Amino acid sequence: MDERLSVLYVMVETHWLLASIAFISFHILRQILFIPVVIICVAGGALFGGLLGSVYSIIGLTLSSLLFYLLYNQMPKIFGKILKMKEKWFGHRAELSVGQVTVLRLIPFIHFHLLSLCLIETTKNFREYVRASIIANIPIAIIYTVFGQFIRDFSPSMILLLLLLLSGLFFLVKDKYVIIKWEKFFQKDKARSS
């Protein structure tokens, strides 16, 4: 096994540009192959180091998010399963902030494109989606690329503590505002005056 890894490292060093393009492309193909984002980011850290692996992962994840945006706008009915998943997990009218999506992306078992759908619904146009997507992808790329190789060494209690901390952070970055529909506001007012 060590010989195979040594050969892989030599190939990355000798064919750096080709390996970089292949790694970024692998991020885009990841969803077709049903490979979790975390695994790809950890592999990027192992192959390219923390800095380059993070940059490549940010580029790859952003391209993957942009591809999802374009496909969703072209064929929204195909993504019905993701819409149902969003309604099941977050409710019909829930709109997550970019900060909440960023924190949820750090939790490995939450579907990447489910959160991309939440960003689509939160943002107003493509440009805003691109900005929000980049912001949401930076922490996952950096944390799992730089520190991902150490996560497998964590004890189950440490992983549980990390998930609890991320859940708490999720509620801290929540947008705090209430939307009251015009009709409901004035219905309550009419009931009082009667």
Side-chain angles (χ1 to χ4, degrees), residues 16-72:
W16 175 77
L17 182 61
L18 185 61
S20 304
I21 292 170
F23 179 73
I24 292 170
S25 300
F26 200 66
H27 265 291
I28 297 168
L29 294 174
R30 171 196 56 77
Q31 56 254 3
I32 297 169
L33 303 172
F34 302 108
I35 299 172
V37 173
V38 175
I39 293 173
I40 305 298
C41 290
V42 169
L47 293 174
F48 300 104
L51 182 63
L52 278 177
S54 295
V55 170
Y56 295 155
S57 288
I58 291 168
I59 292 169
L61 291 171
T62 303
L63 289 174
S64 176
S65 297
L66 298 180
L67 179 63
F68 177 79
Y69 181 91
L70 296 173
L71 290 174
Y72 179 77

Side-chain angles (χ1 to χ4, degrees), residues 43-159:
L47 293 174
F48 300 104
L51 182 63
L52 278 177
S54 295
V55 170
Y56 295 155
S57 288
I58 291 168
I59 292 169
L61 291 171
T62 303
L63 289 174
S64 176
S65 297
L66 298 180
L67 179 63
F68 177 79
Y69 181 91
L70 296 173
L71 290 174
Y72 179 77
N73 284 330
Q74 295 296 319
M75 304 171 277
K77 290 183 180 180
I78 292 177
F79 296 96
K81 182 178 178 184
I82 295 176
L83 281 169
K84 288 178 186 175
M85 190 185 319
K86 179 196 171 279
E87 289 177 12
K88 180 180 172 185
W89 281 43
F90 304 120
H92 180 66
R93 296 179 191 216
E95 283 194 22
L96 301 177
S97 68
V98 176
Q100 286 176 306
V101 170
T102 303
V103 171
L104 286 174
R105 284 223 166 130
L106 295 174
I107 301 171
F109 56 83
I110 295 185
H111 196 281
F112 185 81
H113 290 307
L114 168 66
L115 298 174
S116 293
L117 176 64
C118 292
L119 284 179
I120 289 173
E121 292 177 348
T122 302
T123 56
K124 296 175 184 155
N125 55 38
F126 181 71
R127 186 177 206 177
E128 195 175 318
Y129 174 79
V130 171
R131 186 184 69 76
S133 184
I134 291 170
I135 290 169
N137 290 334
I138 288 173
I140 188 173
I142 291 173
I143 288 173
Y144 285 122
T145 301
V146 174
F147 300 110
Q149 60 206 18
F150 300 112
I151 288 177
R152 64 188 163 124
D153 297 331
F154 285 173
S155 67
S157 59
M158 187 66 165
I159 292 172

Side-chain angles (χ1 to χ4, degrees), residues 170-187:
F170 169 74
F171 287 107
L172 279 175
V173 297
K174 182 179 179 183
D175 286 341
K176 293 171 177 70
Y177 58 89
V178 176
I179 299 173
I180 300 173
K181 295 216 180 231
W182 189 263
E183 296 83 21
K184 284 192 172 191
F185 179 77
F186 283 109
Q187 279 181 343

